[in-house]
């Protein structure tokens, strides 16, 4: 199982990508309160540039976004970074949805909205 926190590193860098600004801010605040360095983006295209600059250990990505959706973004990140970045899908959609299901094949972990912060932090601390 791949974890968010790389071994021996206490400065876990995380990017939260969600077109729902309130959801992204809430998740970013919870991660920050738990010791992570966090940046956020509201769409997949701006996230690509942010990922190159911030070099996160983990990307939490909303699957269903307008424009560059989570599935396409996950494909691009796997092409560029292979498995060097932990990908965590976040969805309000059903696992039966083809886009959601296909995204689950590319990511290391996934959560449904609303995210259980305690479970997410267990994942972060497990590294």
């Amino acid at each position: 199982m791949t974890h968010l926190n790389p071994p021996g590193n206490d400065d876990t860098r995380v990017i939260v990508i969600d077109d729902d600004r309130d959801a992204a801010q809430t998740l970013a605040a919870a991660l920050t309160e738990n010791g992570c360095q966090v940046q956020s983006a509201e769409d997949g295209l701006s996230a690509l540039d942010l990922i190159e600059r911030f070099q996160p250990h983990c990307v939490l990505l909303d699957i269903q976004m307008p424009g560059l959706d989570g599935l396409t973004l996950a494909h691009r990140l796997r092409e560029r970074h292979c498995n060097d970045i932990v990908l965590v899908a976040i969805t309000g959609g059903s696992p039966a949805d083809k886009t959601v299901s296909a995204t689950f094949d590319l990511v290391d972990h996934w959560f449904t909205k609303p995210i259980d912060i305690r479970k997410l932090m267990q994942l972060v601390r497990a590294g």
Side-chain angles (χ1 to χ4, degrees), residues 19-63:
D19 61 317
D20 180 337
R21 182 179 294 190
D22 291 336
Q25 288 176 344
T26 300
L27 185 52
L31 288 163
T32 300
E33 287 175 14
N34 282 277
C36 296
Q37 294 180 33
V38 184
Q39 296 284 320
S40 61
E42 293 182 21
D43 61 78
L45 285 176
S46 61
L48 286 172
D49 180 53
L50 181 60
I51 289 164
E52 295 308 314
R53 287 184 286 114
F54 189 60
Q55 298 183 354
H57 298 108
C58 174
V59 172
L60 302 174
L61 58 109
D62 185 15
I63 296 173

Side-chain angles (χ1 to χ4, degrees), residues 56-112:
H57 298 108
C58 174
V59 172
L60 302 174
L61 58 109
D62 185 15
I63 296 173
Q64 298 168 323
M65 297 183 291
L68 186 63
D69 64 20
L71 175 60
T72 306
L73 179 59
H75 274 291
R76 288 188 184 181
L77 292 176
R78 287 294 184 222
E79 286 172 5
R80 286 184 184 181
H81 301 281
C82 297
N83 291 317
D84 291 340
I85 297 176
V86 176
L87 299 181
V88 180
I90 302 168
T91 185
S94 164
D97 179 289
K98 288 182 182 183
T99 301
V100 173
S101 178
T103 306
F104 288 170
D105 291 339
L106 290 170
V107 298
D108 301 296
H109 306 280
W110 59 273
F111 288 89
T112 55

